[in-house]
Amino acid sequence: MRKPLVAGNWKLNGSTEMVSALLSGISQRLSTSRNAEVAVCPPFIYLEQARQQLEGGEIALGAQDCSDQQAGAYTGEVSAEMIREFGCRYIIVGHSERRHIYMESDAMVATKFDRVRESRMMPILCVGETLEEREEGRTQAVISRQLDAVLDRSGTAGFRDAVIAYEPVWAIGTGKTATPDQAQQVHAFIRGKLAGLDEEIAARIRILYGGSVKPENARSLLQENDIDGGLIGGAALKAEDFAAIVAAGG
Ligand code: PGA
């Protein structure tokens, strides 16, 4: 049985005050009978504050990105190894905002994925098509290409301790959600592709859905067979909404 994961991607939002209030708001609202694992991914600069506040609790910590480099003259970068020092369990790689706004290539995302694994954390690899790609019937081809870049570098075994997040670019921050059926089809495709390489890894990997998940649509999405949780943006900034989505995970 796969344990669902609901992870909050806070993006470029926060302040010391907000981090403290949001984390205590979430902690207070989480039900002890929940089924899902919970993680939050604040901006790098707040990881230490979050680590201290979450210490001894059940909310896992993650980062939103890491460098493809390990160390050296790379101004502004933060390595996976540095992130590990702050108690992170997860690092998101290949978010569509990184791919599209910061022009990260499939190869760069694959390198980052590897860096996270080398540092003994779990990558949350984001994949997903744009609206144009979907309308041209290229959804599966795009997702295959994104997965192949990682498979080429890390092999199938690279997915043993990893999470995948399917995030259709057209659903991120737009209020448009993929229907449970649309999402399930892509999730099944991803799992099927991995099953062709290694059935055990495919059966155990968690595939999250992301893109305008809200308390109102979370339950119908999360009850699909191949949807094992969510990567939540906007709704992760409101303790009440985030906790309600976690509760929808069972
Ligand atoms: P959203 O973002 O929930 O605000 O659509 C999801 C994401 O980008 O991970």
Side-chain angles (χ1 to χ4, degrees), residues 9 11 95 97 167 171-174 210-213 231-235:
N9 172 13
K11 308 193 180 182
H95 190 279
E97 285 148 18
E167 299 207 308
I172 296 178
T174 57
S212 299
V213 179
L231 184 56
I232 320 300

Side-chain angles (χ1 to χ4, degrees), residues 63-78:
Q64 298 173 19
D65 185 32
C66 67
S67 181
D68 60 326
Q69 301 294 333
Q70 289 167 301
Y74 301 100
T75 302
E77 292 289 271
V78 176

Side-chain angles (χ1 to χ4, degrees), residues 5-10 19 22-23 26-27 30 37-43 46-47 50-51 54 58-64 87-90 92 124 231-232 236 242 246:
L5 168 65
V6 176
N9 172 13
W10 294 5
V19 169
L22 183 52
L23 290 179
I26 294 169
S27 306
L30 288 182
E37 181 189 349
V38 183
V40 291
C41 305
Y46 299 116
L47 287 175
R51 186 188 68 76
L54 298 177
E58 288 182 0
I59 301 178
L61 196 55
Q64 298 173 19
C88 286
R89 187 181 299 166
Y90 298 102
I92 300 170
I124 300 179
L231 184 56
I232 320 300
F242 187 64
V246 172

